[in-house]
Structures are given as structure tokens and as C-alpha cells.
Amino acid sequence: MLEQLTKGHWTRPSDKQAVYTEIAPGQRWGIRVTLIADYAKVEAVEGEKGAWYKGPDRYSTTVYPPSRLERWKGINFEDKIMAEVDKKRQVAAEENDPAAANPPQ
């Protein structure tokens, strides 16, 4: 599952959890994907140890398996996770370079 996540590293802190962390060299912000039994948590984090407990949606999102309607539309759990990963990568990029997010006019 999640073969697209190859730039960072995976760890298994427990039998029911897998954690993927991706922070580019020289950057402070990156992403973390935590796979738990029946949901995933996707976060933009500051450093390896950064974490959000009920953080703002901009930085932390919980992704649940697709509903029946979503499955009927062809959306799977991996698609939902990767959509959030793309959003959080953008947040991390903005936090790493605030000037890029707000170019001068």
C-alpha cells in the first residue's frame, strides 16, 4: 500500500501502526503519514519529532476509508490518503519558504 511514498522512511512503532516521515534535506518542515488500524493521519510537521494533537486542518487531517458512495465512484483509501499527502506537501513547502506562498506584488 502507498507505493508512491518512497522519498522518506517508514517505521513501525507498534503492531497496529506504521509511520512514514518525509522531510527534504535542509528543510525544517515535511510530512508524516500515520497508518492506524482503520484510518490514517496525514500531517505537515516541523522536524522529525513534530506532532499535532487535534491540530488545525491546515496541518493535520484524519483520513477514513471511503464510504459506499465514494467506493461506487471508484475512490479507494489510497487515493484519499494521497490526495491529503499532496495538500500537506504544499503546506510544508509554504512553511519552508513563506516568501513563495506570498509573492510580492
Side-chain angles (χ1 to χ4, degrees):
M1 184 176 192
L2 303 172
E3 289 88 22
Q4 297 106 332
L5 299 179
T6 58
K7 297 177 187 174
H9 64 276
W10 285 95
T11 58
R12 292 217 14 120
S14 72
D15 288 344
K16 296 182 180 184
Q17 197 175 46
V19 178
Y20 171 79
T21 307
E22 175 184 302
I23 300 175
Q27 301 295 313
R28 287 182 57 180
W29 283 80
I31 64 163
R32 176 181 302 129
V33 179
T34 306
L35 302 176
I36 304 168
D38 57 349
Y39 66 95
K41 189 164 186 174
V42 183
E43 305 168 294
V45 294
E46 185 175 11
E48 287 278 331
K49 302 294 181 189
W52 295 97
Y53 176 73
K54 295 186 180 182
D57 288 341
R58 171 174 163 77
Y59 297 105
S60 178
T61 303
T62 302
V63 181
Y64 295 98
S67 65
R68 283 186 179 178
L69 180 60
E70 289 171 326
R71 285 194 309 263
W72 184 75
K73 291 180 179 179
I75 299 170
N76 62 33
F77 194 34
E78 186 171 348
D79 294 338
K80 290 180 72 172
I81 293 171
M82 291 311 298
E84 285 301 323
V85 165
D86 291 339
K87 290 178 188 177
K88 299 309 178 223
R89 280 180 175 154
Q90 181 62 37
V91 170
E94 290 170 5
E95 293 293 338
N96 282 322
D97 188 10
N102 301 317
Q105 295 179 5

